[in-house]
Amino acid sequence: MNDYAGQHEVVSENMTSQITAELTRFVQELKQERKSHFHDGRKAQQNIETFWKQLEASKRRFERDCKEADRAQQYFEKMDADINVTKADVEKARQQAQTRHQMAEDSKGEYSSILQKFNHEQREHYHTHIPNIFQKIQEMEERRIVRIGECMKTYAEVDRQVIPIIGKCLDGITKAAESIDHKNDSQLVIEAFKSGFEPPGDIDFEDFTQPMKRTVSESSLSNSRWDGKSEPKPGSKSKGKLWPFIKKNKSPKQQKEPLSHRFNEFMTSKPKIHCFRSLKRGGGGPEDFSNLPPEQRRKKLQQKVDELNKDIQKEMDQRDALTKMKDVYIKNPQMGDAASVDHKLAELGQNMEKLRLEAQKFEGWLAEVEGRLPVRTEQTRRQSGMYDTQNTSAVNNCAQDRESSPDGSYTEEQSQESEMKVPVTEFDDEFDDEEPLPTIGTCKALYTFEGQNEGTISVTEGEMLYVIEEDKGDGWTRIRRNEDEEGYVPTSYVEVYLDKNAKGAMTYI
């Protein structure tokens, strides 16, 4: 499947390098060329409109001069026919008429010249300039069509190259599916979830015809219940194991005097603190997972140790981030108060010390359990490890008092003490996922932040995100991008908008 997906990635990479990049560059060139052609078209259109305006202006001027010359000629004829007008006034009217006629002739010549020029420019515009522009646009679009065809051909070649490999991948997938060994897979599951209990041994024959005290088999199923008058055989060692599906009778009439020395260990043991989640469920298992079978207990302890180590690493990364922030504050006091980080650093140090002590405690229990289990081969460990990752839990169980053991418990000898065991069917209910924190507002990234440390998240300038935890004085705000991406960013890098109904709603930078 990985090879099959890899071939599709090869197709994608080749398309990106051979087609997409070239097409992007080519499209930009076409845009520039198209813009140039349209600019030439607008320029030619403006040019012909300018000549048209000049023609209209000369036409109106010629028309006006002709009318004025006609009026001047009529005035001269009127003055010449009037006997009461002096000869000087008649001469003046004649000169005025001649001047107007000359102006009309000049306007006529100018109008004729501009008209010829406009007709020439109009023929050039509609028969030469505009056709050339449209021809260039057509050629450009034809080049674009040819290039798209070449890209489609290139894509076909790229895809054709990987088709044989994809065929081999599909054959490999079919072969892998046919080679599935369900028996071996079942055995892997058995190895991962086996309890580590051994079946009980045979029950010894008890001869009641002889006047002697009764003895109990070491591996008898009923060796934990005997008469108050009978005593265990000196030197016999009672293992006290029950088969996993047998429930312990909790009747108040049950005699438990012979086990009093073992229950004293329960009564005198240090009580554990209950967590709210365990109380909500009505009680949980002990902190050392002694309520589980040996193999399952080993896995849970190993898982707990791994979780604590991850928590320690997370605290260390957060401490390193705060140390860097403190150095920045020291160098740039205007960005924040360096003393405000000291309290958080001290708190992180205390948390790390508590986590280390907790990890040492669980490592001790783990070493104790591994010392009692049969020697396992490295292959078996690897097979079991395949399933360990599927049974991790996001919640750490708080401890329960060992006196409140539920029904159906097991018994197992551990350092001469009996501890109650919880049935296998109740294991999965001991852990549940934590509810995600609700959003209390939104924020906008003012700057780009590269979150390289554990617990931080990278953001880009202008990105909008959700706020799930305010700045508590340490200079960090907890945000969420989606259900799977959340972390801390410096408060000075974001502008936060809290909801009005959220606690401490306000807007700050």
Side-chain angles (χ1 to χ4, degrees), residues 339-507:
S340 62
V341 187
D342 294 336
H343 175 70
K344 186 66 177 178
L345 287 173
E347 183 179 346
L348 287 175
Q350 296 175 0
N351 293 341
M352 289 172 58
E353 186 64 26
K354 292 179 182 178
L355 289 173
R356 287 194 181 97
L357 294 176
E358 191 79 4
Q360 292 176 1
K361 178 174 63 176
F362 279 93
E363 286 174 356
W365 286 334
L366 178 61
E368 178 184 353
V369 173
E370 289 181 343
R372 294 180 181 178
L373 286 175
V375 178
R376 308 197 316 161
T377 62
E378 185 64 25
Q379 179 66 22
T380 305
R381 290 179 180 270
R382 286 198 299 268
Q383 292 174 351
S384 300
M386 294 170 59
Y387 293 89
D388 287 346
T389 57
Q390 303 176 6
N391 293 279
T392 58
S393 172
V395 182
N396 295 334
N397 250 357
C398 285
Q400 280 289 339
D401 243 0
R402 295 185 177 179
E403 298 144 336
S404 58
S405 178
D407 290 343
S409 58
Y410 304 136
T411 58
E412 179 189 7
E413 181 188 38
Q414 296 183 357
S415 303
Q416 299 300 322
E417 68 176 14
S418 297
E419 296 182 355
M420 298 305 181
K421 305 294 179 180
V422 175
V424 180
T425 57
E426 298 178 9
F427 295 161
D428 296 335
D429 295 333
E430 290 299 317
F431 301 93
D432 52 5
D433 295 331
E434 292 184 355
E435 293 294 332
L437 293 175
T439 59
I440 60 175
T442 59
C443 69
K444 178 181 179 181
L446 301 176
Y447 315 100
T448 299
F449 174 69
E450 298 292 338
Q452 300 178 353
N453 294 324
E454 183 78 18
T456 61
I457 184 173
S458 300
V459 296
T460 57
E461 183 178 352
E463 185 178 3
M464 296 298 297
L465 306 109
Y466 295 101
V467 179
I468 58 177
E469 188 175 313
E470 295 184 68
D471 184 358
K472 297 184 177 180
D474 56 1
W476 294 87
T477 300
R478 190 174 181 182
I479 63 173
R480 175 185 297 144
R481 179 176 287 111
N482 49 49
E483 294 181 357
D484 299 327
E485 291 186 82
E486 63 178 46
Y488 290 91
V489 296
T491 304
S492 57
Y493 278 59
V494 294
E495 183 175 0
V496 179
Y497 309 96
L498 295 181
D499 293 338
K500 294 182 178 180
N501 55 355
K503 182 178 180 181
M506 59 180 293
T507 302

Side-chain angles (χ1 to χ4, degrees), residues 207-395:
D207 189 358
F208 293 98
T209 60
Q210 301 295 331
M212 59 183 294
K213 294 182 179 180
R214 296 167 55 191
T215 60
V216 181
S217 171
E218 293 182 358
S219 59
S220 172
L221 288 175
S222 59
N223 64 348
S224 61
R225 297 190 293 266
W226 53 69
D227 295 334
K229 296 180 181 180
S230 63
E231 296 292 338
K233 181 180 178 181
S236 65
K237 183 178 181 182
S238 175
K239 293 185 178 180
K241 286 188 177 181
L242 291 179
W243 195 244
F245 303 103
I246 298 179
K247 292 188 176 181
K248 181 177 180 295
N249 183 14
K250 296 185 68 176
S251 172
K253 296 181 179 180
Q254 179 182 357
Q255 295 181 353
K256 52 184 179 181
E257 289 300 324
L259 300 178
S260 60
H261 64 286
R262 298 194 179 187
F263 282 108
N264 286 336
E265 297 293 332
F266 284 93
M267 303 302 292
T268 58
S269 62
K270 183 179 180 181
K272 305 295 190 299
I273 301 176
H274 299 270
C275 68
F276 292 110
R277 182 160 301 181
S278 297
L279 292 175
K280 179 181 68 174
R281 290 195 299 262
E287 185 181 16
D288 60 353
F289 301 110
S290 58
N291 58 325
L292 304 179
E295 186 73 16
Q296 299 299 324
R297 184 188 180 195
R298 182 193 65 79
K299 293 179 181 179
K300 293 295 183 182
L301 289 173
Q302 182 64 51
Q303 172 189 329
K304 185 69 175 179
V305 171
D306 294 340
E307 290 177 357
L308 289 172
N309 290 332
K310 290 180 181 179
D311 291 340
I312 293 174
Q313 184 62 39
K314 188 179 298 184
E315 295 287 331
M316 292 176 64
D317 293 338
Q318 190 172 357
R319 182 191 62 183
D320 295 340
L322 288 176
T323 303
K324 293 180 180 179
M325 177 177 285
K326 182 179 179 180
D327 295 338
V328 172
Y329 287 168
I330 293 175
K331 295 178 181 178
N332 303 284
Q334 67 275 11
M335 296 184 65
D337 185 11
S340 62
V341 187
D342 294 336
H343 175 70
K344 186 66 177 178
L345 287 173
E347 183 179 346
L348 287 175
Q350 296 175 0
N351 293 341
M352 289 172 58
E353 186 64 26
K354 292 179 182 178
L355 289 173
R356 287 194 181 97
L357 294 176
E358 191 79 4
Q360 292 176 1
K361 178 174 63 176
F362 279 93
E363 286 174 356
W365 286 334
L366 178 61
E368 178 184 353
V369 173
E370 289 181 343
R372 294 180 181 178
L373 286 175
V375 178
R376 308 197 316 161
T377 62
E378 185 64 25
Q379 179 66 22
T380 305
R381 290 179 180 270
R382 286 198 299 268
Q383 292 174 351
S384 300
M386 294 170 59
Y387 293 89
D388 287 346
T389 57
Q390 303 176 6
N391 293 279
T392 58
S393 172
V395 182

Side-chain angles (χ1 to χ4, degrees), residues 3-4 7-8 11 159 162-171:
D3 295 339
Y4 179 75
Q7 295 308 311
H8 287 284
V11 173
D159 210 354
V162 301
I163 286 178
I165 303 177
I166 290 179
K168 292 182 180 179
C169 293
L170 294 175
D171 294 339

